[in-house]
């Protein structure tokens, strides 16, 4: 689902803080499925992932975001060890 090679090759910009952007990380078919399966959120605010009903393509996206592959990729891009850090989604 996530195009990890696109993320891996995205350049990190250092100013005004370290960040990167990447286009095409999700293809149109997956993006449409994620949109369809996105949890119903009927109020403004911040919601712990555990409080939301996740299913289908949205659940698969979350699994990939939480994967060791993503942790390693982001850690390498920003030169930080993320293996013992909590992930906020």
């Amino acid at each position: 689902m996530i195009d990890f090679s696109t993320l891996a090759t995205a350049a990190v910009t250092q100013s005004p803080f370290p960040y990167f952007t990447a286009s095409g990380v999700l293809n149109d078919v997956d993006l449409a499925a994620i949109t369809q399966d996105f949890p119903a959120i009927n109020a403004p605010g911040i919601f712990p992932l555990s409080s939301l009903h996740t299913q289908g393509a949205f659940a698969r996206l979350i699994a990939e975001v939480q994967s060791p592959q993503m942790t390693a990729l982001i850690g390498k891009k920003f030169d930080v060890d993320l293996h013992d850090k909590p992930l906020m989604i």
Side-chain angles (χ1 to χ4, degrees):
M1 182 171 277
I2 293 175
D3 183 347
F4 287 99
S5 63
T6 296
L7 290 179
T9 59
V12 174
T13 301
Q14 297 298 325
S15 181
F17 49 81
Y19 72 95
F20 71 92
T21 62
S23 298
V25 174
L26 297 168
N27 67 45
D28 291 341
V29 172
D30 287 336
L31 187 55
I34 292 163
T35 301
Q36 179 70 31
D37 292 339
F38 202 89
I41 299 174
N42 300 315
I46 299 171
F47 303 91
L49 190 57
S50 61
S51 73
L52 301 174
H53 175 69
T54 59
Q55 64 181 1
F58 182 81
R60 287 192 303 278
L61 174 64
I62 294 302
E64 288 191 12
V65 168
Q66 294 174 325
S67 72
Q69 183 177 5
M70 180 67 89
T71 299
L73 187 148
I74 298 299
K76 183 176 181 181
K77 288 194 94 51
F78 293 103
D79 193 28
V80 62
D81 182 4
L82 298 173
H83 291 93
D84 61 344
K85 307 296 186 284
L87 176 62
M88 304 299 289
I89 296 180

